[in-house]
Amino acid sequence: MKKKTMKSLALALALSTAATMGTVNVFAEETETAAEVSDEDQAAADEVAALIDAIYVQTWTEDTAEQCAAAKEAWDALTDAQKELVEGENADPDYFGRDTGDASLDDARNQDDIGENELLVVSFGTSFNDSRAEDIKGIEDALAEAYPDWSVRRAFTAQIIINHVQARDGEAIDNVEQALDRAVENGVKNLIVQPTHLMHGAEYDELVEAVEEYTDQFESVAVAEPLLGEVGEDATVINEDKAAVAEAVVAAAVESSDYDSLDAAAEDGTAIVLMGHGTSHTAKVSYSQMQTQMQELGYDNVFIGTVEGEPEETACEEVIESVYAAGYTKVILRPLMVVAGDHANNDMAGEDEDSWLSMFNASGYFETVDTQIEGMGRIEAIEDLYVAHTAAAMAELNGETATADDAATTADAAGEATADDAAEE
């Protein structure tokens, strides 16, 4: 009995060992196969990353359109698992994979048949489809309503964004050179360039230089003022444009909040923080001037900050301390930008630890920190201000001086036309 028992145990042990070894061998084979598949997946993902990095540039060449198409085709050929592996110097899965809205709601405004009068609206640009349609197109639409005798066309200054939109959505947007060439080829005689830029910064200066290269191609050319108008010498210098922008953006922030007024927000301990971009250009004083403007309007619970932290007092850490020192316990973050694009979605409201939302929460100073991801371009009063700036540029072409009353009349007329159109629809 004992011998039989021992033999039975030995046999069972042998079978168990064999089964275990078999399992180990199968696991090893599966792991090896998985490793082989992973290498293939990574190679496919790396190829797409390289194609994305190749078009993530600020220059345009005759091959750019073809490169954009190739990158999208290669991305579409990846499996969902492979798409998650895409990682390059600038490439990541969000480049093609992030849902930023319906691109078909936008209008690239790159048509020919312009006519003699062109109003070229120049923006930095955004790859966020919703914001491009609501903010940039919103401004363009307002200008088209106000000036029906002028053909409104578009140009972006950021080639990186132009390439992104073309690759992902198949929407071809002109850069400044392409737009100006198009104007020349279409026989445009009178050209007005309306920048949607916030201030007289580096982007505005570069635009003016680019336009100057084409002045002899047209009978008349004028570049209109950016949103905040003239810069001024120091932080105490404010103007009507800055006042109009301050009133408009604060009103929009209140409307998108749970409060009936800015005073009600203040009484509840809520501060509104408006985050701009920031710049090392001398025009950075414009942000300090906007803070002065808020104080002049009695908006004591409104604070100005910038992503770049220039001027220094607009850095996120500085703004956090200012809001806390003023005694506010709740915060609403909102962009002081024409579009609600990458900076608003990521630098302001993103999940990374260095986003403004994360840093305000991490400070431990505030009960709640909310965000409003809305660009200024969709605000009617802001659109009216661009209409007024264009009116001044048109008056300049005619050797006239546009008054504030003239600009207001033009803006009112545009608003009435828009209301009438809406009623008809």
Side-chain angles (χ1 to χ4, degrees), residues 57-291:
V57 293
Q58 191 56 21
T59 55
W60 178 89
T61 70
E62 293 181 355
D63 299 325
T64 299
E66 184 177 335
Q67 289 176 306
C68 288
K72 181 61 162 63
E73 183 178 358
W75 167 265
D76 289 341
L78 297 181
T79 65
D80 289 343
Q82 290 171 337
K83 289 176 179 177
E84 292 300 317
L85 300 174
V86 173
E87 191 70 37
E89 183 178 354
N90 295 293
D92 61 30
D94 281 350
Y95 188 87
F96 283 116
R98 183 169 185 169
D99 182 8
T100 66
D102 187 355
S104 68
L105 298 178
D106 189 30
D107 181 354
R109 281 192 160 93
N110 59 359
Q111 305 89 343
D112 290 317
D113 300 322
I114 299 174
E116 294 186 354
N117 301 320
E118 178 180 350
L119 175 50
L120 179 61
V121 184
V122 179
S123 305
F124 179 82
T126 180
S127 62
F128 282 73
N129 293 332
D130 283 346
S131 179
R132 196 167 63 257
E134 288 191 70
D135 296 314
I136 294 177
K137 182 175 178 292
I139 294 168
E140 295 165 346
D141 287 347
L143 290 166
E145 289 283 352
Y147 306 110
D149 294 332
W150 291 70
S151 295
V152 175
R153 295 294 182 269
R154 168 191 292 178
F156 282 1
T157 59
Q159 189 68 46
I160 289 173
I161 290 173
I162 293 172
N163 293 351
H164 192 175
V165 173
Q166 180 160 351
R168 186 190 61 202
D169 305 309
E171 180 180 344
I173 298 171
D174 285 345
N175 60 32
V176 173
E177 182 180 357
Q178 290 169 326
L180 292 172
D181 285 341
R182 188 185 299 279
V184 172
E185 292 165 3
N186 276 262
V188 171
K189 294 182 179 179
N190 306 303
L191 176 69
I192 291 179
V193 179
Q194 175 61 69
T196 66
H197 300 82
L198 195 66
M199 64 185 67
H200 281 272
E203 287 279 333
Y204 185 90
D205 292 345
E206 291 171 5
L207 172 61
V208 171
E209 290 177 5
V211 173
E212 286 177 348
E213 295 291 324
Y214 285 79
T215 52
D216 61 346
Q217 302 291 318
F218 308 101
E219 293 182 6
S220 62
V221 180
V223 180
E225 285 289 299
L227 186 59
L228 296 180
E230 291 294 335
V231 176
E233 295 181 0
D234 56 49
T236 65
V237 180
I238 53 180
N239 58 31
E240 292 181 357
D241 289 336
K242 292 180 178 65
V245 171
E247 291 172 349
V249 70
V250 169
V254 171
E255 184 177 353
S256 295
S257 73
D258 294 328
Y259 299 107
D260 295 329
S261 66
L262 184 62
D263 288 340
E267 290 173 6
D268 193 40
T270 298
I272 295 175
V273 175
L274 302 175
M275 186 197 77
H277 185 276
T279 178
S280 58
H281 191 278
T282 54
K284 66 184 179 182
V285 71
S286 298
Y287 293 106
S288 303
Q289 291 166 348
M290 283 300 291
Q291 187 65 68

Side-chain angles (χ1 to χ4, degrees), residues 348-368:
M348 187 188 80
E351 297 178 355
D352 291 346
E353 63 180 15
D354 60 347
S355 76
W356 283 47
L357 175 61
S358 296
M359 292 175 70
F360 267 80
N361 279 322
S363 71
Y365 291 157
F366 310 107
E367 297 172 9
T368 61

Side-chain angles (χ1 to χ4, degrees), residues 25-41:
N25 289 336
V26 170
F27 178 75
E29 291 174 2
E30 289 178 349
T31 302
E32 184 177 350
T33 301
E36 291 174 358
V37 172
S38 178
D39 288 342
E40 293 173 1
D41 288 346

